[in-house]
Amino acid sequence: MKILVSSCLMGENCKYNGGNNFTGAVAALAKEHEIITVCPEVLGGLSTPRVPAEIGSDGIVYSRDGKNVDAEFRLGAKKALEIAMRERPDLCILKSRSPSCGVHQHYNGTFSGVLTDGPGVTAQLLTEHGFRCIEPEEIEAGVQL
């Protein structure tokens, strides 16, 4: 099986704060499956570290300092989609609650820790193009690959 994975879940220090979101259950999949890593935010030209960003109520991605970073997020999503279209993964495992990669929820744009239902920009684009996207918590809960 070929799996596209958010780079931070594999331990790459590409998270907004310069860290990662290493997830052992996801990394363990590399023993039996081909893993392709992507960080849409870095692909879109954002630096590491960077100011945190959230999707506002208008659907636009803003950084905490008020800068509109939607173009960078959309470019990164497009580049991640291009990789997925080329590699044809059977599954995508994306970082939960991320404005890029969140599959089920993301923060609501108020920078107050409040979640709202709906995908991040990359998860949405991948899903719209027929890719199966799940979050690491689903792997840890034993979801069928």
Side-chain angles (χ1 to χ4, degrees):
M1 177 179 279
K2 192 181 285 194
I3 306 172
L4 183 96
V5 177
S6 295
S7 299
C8 64
L9 299 176
M10 296 297 289
E12 185 175 325
N13 292 327
C14 57
K15 190 175 167 180
Y16 74 90
N17 64 5
N20 65 67
N21 294 301
F22 178 79
T23 304
V26 176
L29 295 173
K31 294 176 184 170
E32 297 178 17
H33 304 284
E34 181 180 348
I35 303 295
I36 303 117
T37 60
V38 297
C39 177
E41 295 173 26
V42 171
L43 288 171
L46 296 171
S47 64
T48 304
R50 58 190 164 274
V51 178
E54 295 184 3
I55 301 173
S57 60
D58 58 0
I60 304 296
V61 185
Y62 298 96
S63 61
R64 186 176 52 211
D65 61 5
K67 181 180 177 190
N68 181 332
V69 291
D70 196 71
E72 291 89 342
F73 273 73
R74 305 283 169 189
L75 176 61
K78 181 180 177 224
K79 288 184 176 183
L81 176 62
E82 289 170 358
I83 292 167
M85 296 296 281
R86 182 179 66 244
E87 297 292 333
R88 303 305 304 174
D90 302 292
L91 178 67
C92 302
I93 305 173
L94 304 174
K95 172 64 180 97
S96 55
R97 299 176 299 280
S98 160
S100 290
C101 296
V103 175
H104 306 295
Q105 294 181 310
H106 59 82
Y107 291 101
N108 74 350
T110 62
F111 298 92
S112 59
V114 177
L115 291 167
T116 188
D117 290 337
V121 295
T122 299
Q124 181 174 357
L125 192 60
L126 289 170
T127 301
E128 286 172 354
H129 283 82
F131 292 99
R132 178 178 172 223
C133 298
I134 64 171
E135 296 181 344
E137 293 83 1
E138 294 171 78
I139 295 295
E140 293 169 333
V143 72
Q144 183 70 22
L145 298 181

